[in-house]
């Protein structure tokens, strides 16, 4: 079904309906009945595409994972340690309004279904990029980068780390720049 445009349109309607529902109430208070009513679909259609609301929520929020990975790698040439890529600042600004939903899927410290997905995808992208340039310890640094970013993002969403999107982007960039520049023997 993944190549079927009709199925993708249906999943898109369900994702949009969930994001709209979650602007009005926490995910725990969203019902499948209310969601499908908002999407203009039947309950059986929902279950053809998702086993439960959590699976839909992870799918609806998976774009944030791609955005995060891309934002961290949105520079070319020699990066400036003092200036995060504009895409990174933009990323934090875009997710701030949806913090309650992301907090449901990304627990403090970076766990949860969204945190696990973000960690895996970021670790793989960082590892590949380090290997391409011949940087030392690609697995170790990629793991540290993924853990640091995912943990800080989660803690910021849970208000354990303070800062505006601009401040947190700058702090994260500095932290990750340091990790990438750490000499390993």
């Amino acid at each position: 079904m993944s190549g079927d445009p009709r199925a993708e349109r249906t999943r898109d309607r369900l994702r949009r309906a969930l994001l709209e529902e979650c602007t009005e109430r926490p995910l725990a208070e969203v019902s499948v009945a209310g969601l499908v009513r908002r999407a203009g679909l039947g309950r059986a259609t929902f279950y053809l595409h998702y086993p439960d609301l959590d699976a839909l929520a992870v799918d609806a929020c998976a774009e944030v994972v791609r955005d995060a990975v891309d934002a961290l790698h949105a520079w070319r040439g020699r990066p400036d340690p003092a200036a995060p890529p504009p895409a990174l600042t933009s990323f934090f600004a875009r997710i701030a309004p949806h913090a309650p939903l992301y907090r449901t899927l990304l627990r403090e410290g970076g766990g949860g279904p969204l945190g696990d997905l973000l960690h895996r995808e970021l670790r793989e992208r960082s590892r590949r990029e380090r290997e391409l340039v011949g940087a030392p310890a690609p697995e170790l640094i990629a793991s540290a980068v993924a853990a640091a970013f995912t943990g800080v993002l989660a803690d910021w969403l849970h208000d354990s780390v303070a800062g505006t999107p601009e401040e947190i982007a700058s702090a994260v960039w500095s932290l990750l720049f340091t990790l990438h520049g750490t000499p390993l023997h």
Side-chain angles (χ1 to χ4, degrees):
M1 274 172 106
S2 64
D4 182 352
R6 292 171 299 164
E8 187 51 42
R9 281 193 302 273
T10 299
R11 284 191 294 273
D12 187 54
R13 285 172 67 183
L14 289 166
R15 289 187 293 257
R16 280 184 287 127
L18 178 73
L19 293 174
E20 290 169 9
E21 285 283 321
C22 287
T23 62
E24 299 170 8
R25 65 189 53 79
L27 180 61
E29 294 176 15
V30 173
S31 69
V32 171
L35 178 77
V36 296
R37 190 171 30 258
R38 183 182 286 260
L41 300 167
R43 192 176 182 92
T45 301
F46 172 86
Y47 288 109
L48 279 173
H49 296 277
Y50 298 100
D52 55 34
L53 281 172
D54 284 343
L56 170 59
V58 170
D59 185 37
C61 296
E63 188 171 333
V64 79
V65 170
R66 288 184 295 279
D67 288 350
V69 172
D70 289 344
L72 284 172
H73 294 89
W75 52 271
R76 294 291 170 247
R78 189 150 182 81
D80 180 355
L88 185 59
T89 303
S90 241
F91 165 76
F92 281 103
R94 275 193 322 274
I95 67 166
H98 301 289
L101 174 59
Y102 296 134
R103 280 193 293 265
T104 305
L105 303 169
L106 182 62
R107 292 189 300 272
E108 281 188 84
L114 194 58
D116 295 345
L117 179 63
L118 176 57
H119 187 274
R120 277 192 313 275
E121 291 200 14
L122 184 53
R123 183 183 62 217
E124 179 55 27
R125 175 87 172 263
S126 292
R127 183 195 59 74
R128 264 193 336 266
E129 299 243 344
R130 288 187 67 80
E131 284 177 348
L132 280 173
V133 298
E139 294 85 8
L140 178 67
I141 298 300
S143 182
V145 164
F149 181 80
T150 304
V152 170
L153 171 61
D155 288 351
W156 178 67
L157 288 169
H158 283 275
D159 298 322
S160 298
V161 173
T164 65
E166 295 78 15
E167 292 166 341
I168 203 69
S170 183
V172 163
W173 183 246
S174 179
L175 173 66
L176 298 180
F177 200 88
T178 301
L179 281 172
H180 276 288
T182 303
L184 299 171
H185 306 347

